[in-house]
Structure formats: C-alpha cells, structure tokens
Amino acid sequence: MTFPSRLPVPRAVLFDLDGTLADTAPDLAAAVNWLRTERGLEPTPYAVLRPTASAGARGMIGAAFGLAPGDEGYEELRLQWFDRYQSAMAVESRLFDGVPELLDGIEQAGMAWGVVTNKPMRFTDPLIPQIGLAHAGCVVSGDTTAFAKPHPAPLLEGARLLGLAAEECWYVGDDLRDVEAGRAAGMVTVACGWGYCGEIPPATWGADYLLDNPLHLLQVLREVIDAARTAEASA
C-alpha cells in the first residue's frame, strides 16, 4: 500500500493482544469446543472459530453455538467458557513470528511499547507473563477503564501510564474497533493483516497503515525515524 507521508515519529507503540501480538485462537477455540463436547456435540472446525477470536467469548460462542448476548443460554455458556479458558490459557498460545524482533527493535529505537486489549484482566494478568510479554511498559485490560474499545478510554489510559500524550503513540490492532479506538484517541493507527481481522476487510478500516507482518511494522517505524532525521538535518 502507499504509506502516508510526514507522520510523526512515535514515542510509544501500543498493541492489541489477541491476533496482534499473540496467536491465542487455539486456546480460545479449545475452550469453546470443550463446552460442545461436554454437551455431546461435535467440535466446531477450527477454521470457523479462528476468525472470531478477537471477539472473545462473544465471537467463540456465536460461532460454536449460534448464540448472541441476550439469547437464552448465552450467559451460562459465557461463564462456563470463562472458567474453562482460564484453566488452560497458554497451552498453545504463542507470540506471532517476528513479534519478539519487533519489540526488541522498538526498544532499541528508544521507544516504549505496551498492551491495550479488551481481554478482561482476569485473563490478561496471568497470560501476559506466560507468553513472554512481562516487560510491557503498560498493560490495559478490557475492564481497566469504564469503557472497552472501540471507546478511546483504554488507549488514553495506556498513554497516560507511559507518561505520554496520545498523539505521541501509535496503536496496532487486528480488528475494526482497534482502528476506531485509535482514531478516536488521536493516535496513528496500524491494521495488522497478520491477525484474525474478522469479517470486514482491513483495507476498508481507514487505518493509516495496513501491514502484512510484524517485521513490516518495524521497517515502517525505521523509515519514519530516518525520514524525520533527514528532515531535521536539512532544516
């Protein structure tokens, strides 16, 4: 894609968690398929469940049982899914290829990074250290503030925890609500095409960048930094 020009060099990069930094879909799917097998039902194919992973319980239960919040039986399934998932959150969940190098590169460039997710802190707090993200500069969960994404409050809290203004941060996510939240917070937004991405094509989200893999983001950050240095030198 064509990159926007003259975007500010960030002082921090904030990331969504599921589908952005980490591939957590296998454990999310395993929890909902446990609910199905407990009821004598065949497991839902992983290919059906994976695209819904960023929506958490709502996505998984919707795909596996055809139920939405407010439907009869949904709340019981949601609570049981929470308990099952909490007991086995890091069995197969891993950082995406290139993410460790991306985070190292961000730190080497003198920038901070943090996690802003809609995942409740009940899951976020124990999962973060198990998958190699304990050195995050901040962690904002779905229930840290009074609102969840696409409201900008969690992103603004992330910036505050890092001691930065929102416009000094970029936000990276794999769902339309991530771009909406980032835009509402006044941050440069990055849609990560390597994530789950849902049913709406990422190219239509209106993100400042649409990137294919984590190392592509590191390349873009370096290009923005180099362009800023060149402009400063020629001023």
Side-chain angles (χ1 to χ4, degrees), residues 35-235:
L35 295 180
R36 285 185 60 86
T37 57
E38 282 290 293
R39 289 159 173 76
L41 302 172
E42 290 293 319
T44 299
Y46 180 65
V48 173
L49 294 172
R50 181 179 173 84
T52 73
S54 286
R58 176 173 53 82
M60 287 285 150
I61 293 170
F65 291 94
L67 296 177
D71 290 344
E72 183 178 356
Y74 175 87
E75 187 62 16
E76 178 185 359
L77 285 169
R78 185 181 73 91
L79 294 175
Q80 291 178 359
W81 183 86
F82 277 176
D83 289 341
R84 181 63 184 181
Y85 178 60
Q86 187 170 21
S87 72
M89 288 187 294
V91 177
E92 295 186 51
S93 294
R94 301 287 186 274
L95 298 182
F96 283 108
D97 290 344
V99 165
E101 295 84 354
L102 167 62
L103 300 180
D104 286 346
I106 288 172
E107 293 175 356
Q108 290 168 11
M111 292 181 283
W113 64 273
V115 177
V116 180
T117 174
N118 272 2
K119 204 180 197 76
M121 94 179 49
R122 168 184 178 181
F123 308 123
T124 306
D125 287 353
L127 180 62
I128 287 284
Q130 292 186 71
I131 57 175
L133 297 174
H135 56 309
C138 70
V139 176
V140 179
S141 300
D143 47 0
T144 299
T145 69
F147 301 95
K149 298 175 295 181
H151 197 283
L155 278 65
L156 297 174
E157 176 65 5
R160 186 192 70 80
L161 290 171
L162 295 175
L164 300 174
E167 58 268 22
E168 296 178 300
C169 303
W170 287 17
Y171 188 62
V172 185
D174 72 315
D175 194 275
L176 172 60
R177 67 173 171 268
D178 296 320
V179 172
E180 291 174 337
R183 197 160 48 230
M187 298 181 182
V188 171
T189 57
V190 179
C192 65
W194 65 86
Y196 306 135
C197 297
E199 298 179 352
I200 303 174
T204 68
W205 297 352
D208 295 296
Y209 294 102
L210 170 57
L211 305 179
D212 298 326
N213 58 69
L215 295 183
H216 195 183
L217 174 56
L218 184 57
Q219 174 191 339
V220 168
L221 288 167
R222 287 171 173 166
E223 289 174 357
V224 170
I225 291 170
D226 289 345
R229 288 173 177 167
T230 300
E232 184 178 346
S234 61

